[in-house]
Amino acid sequence: MRLIRSAMRWALALQPQVADTVVAAVVTCVALLLVHRDPPFGIGQPTELVVALVFLSVMPNAFRRLAPILVFLVASAAYAAYLLCGYPDVITPFGAWIALYTVAAHCQTRVSVPVILAVVPALLTLMVLTGGSWVSLVQWIMHGSVAWLLGASRHSLTQRNHQLAELALELHADRERLAQRAVTEERVRIARELHDVVAHHMSVISVQAGLARYVFDTDRATASNALATIADTSREALDEMRRVLALLRLPAEDDEPEPEFDPQPGLDRVEELLNRVRAAGVPAELVVTGTRRPLPPGPDLCAYRVVQESLTNVLKHALPASATVYLHYRPRELTVRVVDDGQQPASAGTGPVSGHGLAGMRERARLYDGSLTAGAHAHGGFAVELRLPLAPPLEQPGRNASR
């Protein structure tokens, strides 16, 4: 089987060569038959020289794809020798025109044009000098022009096909890069969501579990409240994790109901967040200035996640501490500021700031053209400040719709 496949590949590779050989042989036979006719339509019994010149003027086209210019020169020289020997012009230069087409079709223009301009006028001049008729001259010009135009059109079409193939490859590569970039961005977004969900809720659960274990034998009411907080927090964490993981699933079947989740959290749920932090032993307050108003879903979730991650860092790095969340609404900007008064450890100046939490918050802020700063507070503790640009209240879709 391998031998058969190799033979088939060899035959397919030789197919153009075989076709060129057959065409050249057929045209050679036709030319010899024309020469063999009786005068004035032929030269009668051709001599060996005539046969050789006719053969050399046509048969080299069997190799026209391998050496176009050389074949064109050989065919033209053989036909010129045929005319110079004084033989009547009973055949047109079939071989020269086939070779001319091949040169125009397979060679670069900067190479083919000078060769054609050097050879074709010389052939035409030689035909006139050897007594060729004007009818034959006009036929020669027409045949040569048609051969060159067909070859030039083939060359142009081939070049265009090559350009289109290269463009298709470039577009395919660009599409692959864009797809890879989209996958990477989606992975980063999912990782950021998972970090925000897991870090905050597990911090609350850890603190509450430690509290419940500590007072389990002495204060059953406090232990019960801690366990209730753990149950509520874990349920919310599972729900948010299901929401994130649902993005990784394949699209549901048409008859499969879509899973239902609670709406994405926003600043309207900051009080719930503060209640969980208070239950974990961190006194927390909310201060709102300006006119509080609904926000678009994206900035709303961004602001909520920044508050959540900031309070999570208080639980992980600053206990014992208290925290205050400031929400300042301006017509075109929202400022979210989370400040704590905890004693930062020696590594807090670099640890939290350079960790994944604050890096994720900065990415969220940049996503909505906002900015985020974080660092040690002037009066002790740590401060995180988020600034998000907002559309004026009257330009919001909800306000416009209500009008």
Side-chain angles (χ1 to χ4, degrees):
M1 291 298 295
R2 183 177 301 176
L3 219 47
I4 295 176
R5 286 198 296 268
S6 300
M8 291 179 62
R9 284 197 295 268
W10 180 77
L12 290 175
L14 285 180
Q15 184 177 358
Q17 185 66 45
V18 172
D20 290 342
T21 303
V22 172
V23 170
V26 170
V27 176
T28 301
C29 293
V30 172
L32 289 174
L33 289 176
L34 291 176
V35 171
H36 196 273
R37 293 182 301 176
D38 295 330
F41 303 104
I43 62 175
Q45 185 66 32
T47 63
E48 293 179 355
L49 178 61
V50 172
V51 173
L53 291 177
V54 172
F55 184 88
L56 288 176
S57 69
V58 181
M59 198 59 199
N61 281 286
F63 307 99
R64 65 188 184 90
R65 298 175 195 264
L66 301 179
I69 293 179
L70 180 60
V71 169
F72 178 54
L73 294 177
V74 170
S76 300
Y79 190 76
Y82 175 88
L83 293 178
L84 288 173
C85 288
Y87 297 116
D89 182 22
V90 295
I91 61 171
T92 56
F94 297 123
W97 298 150
I98 295 176
L100 173 63
Y101 162 82
T102 305
V103 169
H106 294 276
C107 296
Q108 295 293 333
T109 304
R110 64 178 182 272
V111 176
S112 63
V113 170
V115 172
I116 293 171
L117 291 179
V119 175
V120 173
L123 281 179
L124 295 176
T125 303
L126 183 61
M127 193 271 291
V128 173
L129 293 178
T130 55
S133 65
W134 289 104
V135 175
S136 298
L137 179 63
V138 172
Q139 290 179 346
W140 272 36
I141 294 175
M142 291 179 60
H143 294 166
S145 300
V146 170
W148 179 81
L149 288 174
L150 290 177
S153 300
R154 171 66 183 275
H155 179 75
S156 177
L157 181 61
T158 302
Q159 292 295 104
R160 187 173 303 172
N161 288 339
H162 287 164
Q163 293 174 357
L164 290 176
E166 293 176 358
L167 181 60
L169 290 177
E170 292 178 2
L171 291 176
H172 179 72
D174 290 342
R175 185 167 62 249
E176 290 293 331
R177 285 193 294 268
L178 290 175
Q180 186 62 35
R181 180 179 177 182
V183 170
T184 302
E185 291 178 350
E186 186 67 11
R187 289 177 61 186
V188 171
R189 187 174 72 86
I190 293 173
R192 185 168 57 234
E193 287 291 332
L194 285 174
H195 173 271
D196 292 345
V197 171
V198 173
H200 172 74
H201 290 86
M202 292 307 296
S203 297
V204 173
I205 290 173
S206 176
V207 172
Q208 291 296 318
L211 176 62
R213 181 180 180 183
Y214 182 75
V215 301
F216 187 79
D217 295 327
T218 58
D219 191 347
R220 292 297 182 90
T222 301
S224 177
N225 291 334
L227 292 174
T229 302
I230 291 174
D232 294 340
T233 304
S234 60
R235 181 197 62 79
E236 183 176 344
L238 286 174
D239 187 67
E240 292 201 29
M241 288 185 67
R242 289 192 189 100
R243 184 204 316 278
V244 175
L245 295 176
L247 298 175
L248 303 177
R249 296 181 57 196
L250 295 174
E253 300 294 338
D254 294 338
D255 56 347
E256 182 181 345
E258 292 289 339
E260 295 183 1
F261 301 104
D262 293 336
Q264 285 276 22
L267 290 180
D268 57 336
R269 296 177 59 181
V270 168
E271 284 292 350
E272 299 178 17
L273 187 61
L274 294 177
N275 288 335
R276 285 201 301 269
V277 174
R278 294 185 189 112
V282 177
E285 296 182 2
L286 175 64
V287 178
V288 180
T289 56
T291 304
R292 193 167 185 174
R293 65 181 190 270
L295 302 179
D300 200 18
L301 176 62
C302 173
Y304 177 86
R305 291 302 190 199
V306 167
V307 175
Q308 182 185 56
E309 181 62 24
S310 301
L311 295 177
T312 300
N313 286 338
V314 174
L315 290 173
K316 292 194 297 184
H317 303 290
L319 291 180
S322 61
T324 305
V325 178
Y326 297 93
L327 301 180
H328 184 33
Y329 290 84
R330 295 188 180 93
R332 294 182 178 272
E333 185 182 72
L334 169 67
T335 302
V336 178
R337 185 175 173 83
V338 182
V339 182
D340 68 77
D341 57 2
Q343 294 295 325
Q344 301 293 327
S347 61
T350 57
V353 176
S354 59
H356 295 291
L358 288 180
M361 286 193 282
R362 288 193 175 95
E363 290 177 3
R364 288 184 182 276
R366 285 195 295 268
L367 186 63
Y368 299 103
D369 297 327
S371 62
L372 185 135
T373 57
H377 194 259
H379 303 289
F382 202 79
V384 177
E385 182 174 284
L386 168 70
R387 293 178 177 271
L388 286 177
L390 300 176
L394 293 180
E395 296 181 11
Q396 291 185 11
R399 294 290 186 89
N400 291 336
S402 64
R403 293 179 61 185

